[in-house]
Amino acid sequence: MSQKKNPIKLIIIVCILAAIIFGLAKSGALEYLKDRQKLETLIKSLGMWGPVAYIGLYAIVTTTCISVLPLTLAGGLIFGAVMGIIYTAIGACLGLSLAFLIARYIARKPIEEKFGKTEAFKKINEGVKNDGWFILATTRLLPVFPFGIQNYVYGLTPISFIQYSLLSTIFILPGTSVFVLLAGAVASGDMKTAVKMSITASLIFFGLTMITKLIAKKAKKNS
């Protein structure tokens, strides 16, 4: 029975992703992703719906594995440091959660066929079983595996959805905050505010570097 359902699930997910990509291309949204200034203008023109559009677009882009850096910078420029971080975190959380659910419940078989035998997947899967949340910290803070693909691969592991979704969002927040703060500093127009934001971003980046080194050392000891 399950074997009959898998092709249907695959067709459904392919159709959904194709529809999303076609819709983005047809609407010209992909062009906006390439041009940050156009993206800013578009989101600002939506007024009170701007944050909703930003969060939704961030979630969609996350599931497609396209780089979210232009969007992240746009978030800081449009909404400022605090709200930019909040909206970006919500969008990222929705996107990485959706990718996880697609891998676990809709397109598990094709994703397993593509990544199930890779060394990276084996390490992540074993890390989930042996180290629990620590493997999330390792893979989110260290460039061990591409971020977009990780979101799908974790759906193949035994990690719980709540633990994955919550901790992934927490662990990507420091790195994301650096870009949002720097963009917010540029957009502030006030020298004192810009300096404060730049210093905060620098401290976060320094702390992130130290944590990453500690995680790398621990990972080497365990390997």
Side-chain angles (χ1 to χ4, degrees), residues 14-74:
V14 168
C15 287
I16 290 171
L17 289 175
I20 290 170
I21 294 168
F22 177 77
L24 288 171
K26 198 74 176 172
S27 65
L30 290 178
E31 290 303 313
Y32 284 101
L33 291 178
K34 295 175 187 176
D35 190 326
R36 202 193 68 242
Q37 287 185 333
K38 280 186 179 179
L39 186 63
E40 287 172 49
T41 304
L42 174 65
I43 294 173
K44 284 178 180 176
S45 70
L46 296 173
M48 64 180 289
W49 290 104
V52 177
Y54 175 78
I55 290 168
L57 188 58
Y58 205 101
I60 291 169
V61 172
T62 300
T63 61
T64 61
C65 300
I66 298 171
S67 173
V68 293
L69 182 57
L71 263 178
T72 305
L73 293 171

Side-chain angles (χ1 to χ4, degrees), residues 15 18 38 43 45 49 61 73 87 89 94 104 112 117 143 153 155 160 164 182 193 196 212 214 218 220:
C15 287
K38 280 186 179 179
I43 294 173
S45 70
W49 290 104
V61 172
L73 293 171
Y87 294 148
L94 290 174
R104 178 157 290 184
E112 202 165 28
K117 293 179 181 178
V153 167
S160 73
Y164 160 82
L182 289 174
T193 304
K196 284 179 184 177
T212 300
L214 290 172
K218 187 173 176 11
K220 280 182 181 179

Side-chain angles (χ1 to χ4, degrees), residues 131-146:
D131 301 318
W133 65 268
F134 181 75
I135 190 65
L136 267 174
T138 304
T139 54
R140 292 311 189 186
L141 295 173
L142 296 174
V144 177
F145 207 36

Side-chain angles (χ1 to χ4, degrees), residues 125-197:
N125 194 42
E126 214 155 298
V128 168
K129 291 175 182 176
N130 299 331
D131 301 318
W133 65 268
F134 181 75
I135 190 65
L136 267 174
T138 304
T139 54
R140 292 311 189 186
L141 295 173
L142 296 174
V144 177
F145 207 36
F147 175 76
I149 295 172
Q150 278 186 51
N151 298 328
Y152 288 98
V153 167
Y154 269 106
L156 306 178
T157 71
I159 194 168
S160 73
F161 171 71
I162 298 297
Q163 187 181 43
Y164 160 82
S165 182
L166 183 62
L167 293 181
S168 287
T169 304
I170 290 170
F171 291 136
I172 66 168
L173 207 51
T176 301
S177 298
V178 170
F179 293 109
V180 176
L181 282 167
L182 289 174
V186 173
S188 67
D190 178 64
M191 184 58 74
K192 285 185 179 179
T193 304
V195 169
K196 284 179 184 177
M197 287 184 181

